Every structure is written in C-alpha cells, then in structure tokens.
C-alpha cells in the first residue's frame, strides 16, 4: 500500500491519500480524542501525542498537529497508523453517525428554495474545490431577514489562516452572484 501526502494551505494540517476509499460519501471530523473513540483509525491517530484533529473525506484524510510539533517527526507514525488500519480490515467507523453536517432548520417555502440553491452551489461548485485542499465546508443556516449564510469549515480549512479569505473572496462572491438574497457569508465555529 502506498500512501501519498500533500501539504494544505494550513501549515498545521497534512493531507493523506491512501489510494482507496476512506469514507466514500460525506465527511467526518473528530475534534477530540473522545470523539475519535467512534473510529479505530481516529483513535489510533489521537494516541500520537501531537495529533489535535482528524478529518475523513471521501478518499483522503487530514491530520491537524499541535503547533509545536514538526511534520518530519510526526509523519512516519501517522503513515504507520493509516497503513496498519487499512491492512487490518477493521471498520473505519463504529457508528454510522455523520457529525457536523447540514442543519435542516425549518424554512418557509420561499426560503426553503433559497436554502436549496445555496446547498446545491456548495455541493457542486464549492465543496469539491475545498476538498482538493483537504477540507470541507458545510451549510449551517440561512438568516432570511439579513441574508446571512452561516457555514462551518472542517478538515484542513478549520483554523486555516486563509479560510477567511476563502469564505469572503470565493464563497461569498459566488453565493451572492447566484443567489441574490445572500448578502454575506459568516463562519460558525
């Protein structure tokens, strides 16, 4: 098994491509070791002292390190944990719950259409581009009175120095162009 690694715009996050399906559909983020208990691979990664966050995408995973740790010292144990997991045959997840996905708030008919347009743009144009950098962006809510869209950044995008620029310059401009009801995009934490 050959696992490729890629840098991300976030210097604290490294993207790992095991050359096979990781999650397949959707994404899953583990912000703490306790959350990681629901995945044998995440649990193994969190046992490495400098791993702070783990994110699974369709065919990749990202690992966020402690700011003081150095990738040359941490990369080999991470690769070993990934290799051990995929060669063991263990399941990726012990539960089927997907964390931090779209909020399906209640919207009237007109606003439901606006939310559907926002989600469609996110799924077809924005999320694939963000995934290339090892991250994910998820709809949180839309405030019809103000036109504000709230989005949640995950994976390499979470805590990335350029995530604010991505939201404002890229995502906000695209949403405002295609969905005139959108006035602003904000990030949920």
């Amino acid at each position: 098994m050959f696992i490729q690694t890629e840098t991300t715009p976030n210097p604290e996050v490294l993207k790992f491509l095991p050359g096979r399906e990781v999650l397949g559909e959707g994404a899953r983020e583990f912000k703490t070791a306790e959350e990681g208990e629901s995945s044998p691979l995440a649990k193994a990664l969190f046992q490495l002292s400098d791993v702070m966050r783990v994110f699974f995408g369709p065919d990749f995973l990202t690992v966020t390190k402690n700011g003081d740790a150095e990738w040359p010292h941490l990369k080999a144990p991470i690769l070993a944990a990934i290799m051990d997991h995929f060669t063991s045959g263990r399941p990726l997840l012990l539960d089927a719950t997907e964390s931090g996905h779209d909020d399906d708030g209640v919207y009237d008919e007109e606003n439901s259409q606006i939310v559907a347009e926002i989600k469609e743009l996110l799924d077809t144009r924005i999320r694939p581009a963000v995934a290339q950098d090892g991250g994910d962006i998820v709809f949180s809510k839309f405030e019809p009175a103000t036109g504000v869209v709230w989005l949640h950044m995950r994976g390499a995008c979470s805590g990335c120095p350029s995530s604010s620029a991505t939201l404002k310059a890229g995502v906000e401009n695209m949403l405002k162009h295609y969905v005139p009801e959108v006035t602003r995009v904000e990030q949920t934490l």
Side-chain angles (χ1 to χ4, degrees):
M1 178 178 194
F2 179 71
I3 303 169
Q4 292 180 302
T5 60
E6 292 179 1
T7 58
T8 70
N10 186 341
E12 306 303 325
V13 179
L14 203 55
K15 181 178 178 181
F16 296 85
L17 298 124
R20 60 176 62 184
E21 185 176 274
V22 175
L23 201 55
E25 294 268 328
R28 182 85 183 255
E29 183 173 45
F30 304 93
K31 298 176 186 177
T32 65
E34 291 76 31
E35 288 179 13
E37 291 291 322
S38 63
S39 165
L41 177 54
K43 181 178 179 179
L45 292 168
F46 276 115
Q47 288 174 346
L48 303 172
S49 63
D50 290 316
V51 170
M52 304 304 291
R53 188 179 292 218
V54 176
F55 177 80
F56 297 152
D59 62 350
F60 69 91
L61 62 135
T62 62
V63 175
T64 304
K65 69 174 182 65
N66 175 332
D68 298 331
E70 298 291 331
W71 281 120
H73 301 294
L74 194 54
K75 189 173 166 182
I78 291 172
L79 287 168
I82 295 169
M83 177 89 65
D84 287 348
H85 175 79
F86 282 109
T87 57
S88 74
R90 290 180 304 225
L92 185 66
L93 302 171
L94 300 176
D95 63 28
T97 307
E98 187 172 333
S99 67
H101 210 307
D102 295 354
D103 170 35
D104 290 321
V106 177
Y107 299 98
D108 62 28
E109 188 174 334
E110 179 182 339
N111 291 318
S112 290
Q113 180 61 35
I114 294 167
V115 169
E117 290 174 34
I118 293 167
K119 287 181 178 183
E120 175 72 15
L121 279 170
L122 285 172
D123 288 343
T124 60
R125 312 273 308 271
I126 298 167
R127 289 179 85 188
V130 172
Q132 288 180 339
D133 285 335
D136 193 19
I137 188 166
V138 180
F139 175 82
S140 290
K141 66 181 176 180
F142 173 65
E143 296 174 351
T146 60
V148 176
V149 175
W150 291 86
L151 302 173
H152 179 67
M153 306 287 272
R154 304 189 302 180
C157 297
S158 180
C160 178
S162 61
S163 67
S164 294
T166 299
L167 272 181
K168 294 297 178 186
V171 177
E172 181 174 277
N173 288 341
M174 182 180 286
L175 289 179
K176 286 167 68 175
H177 177 77
Y178 288 105
V179 186
E181 294 83 358
V182 173
T183 60
R184 194 170 85 235
V185 172
E186 295 292 336
Q187 182 174 350
T188 60
L189 300 176

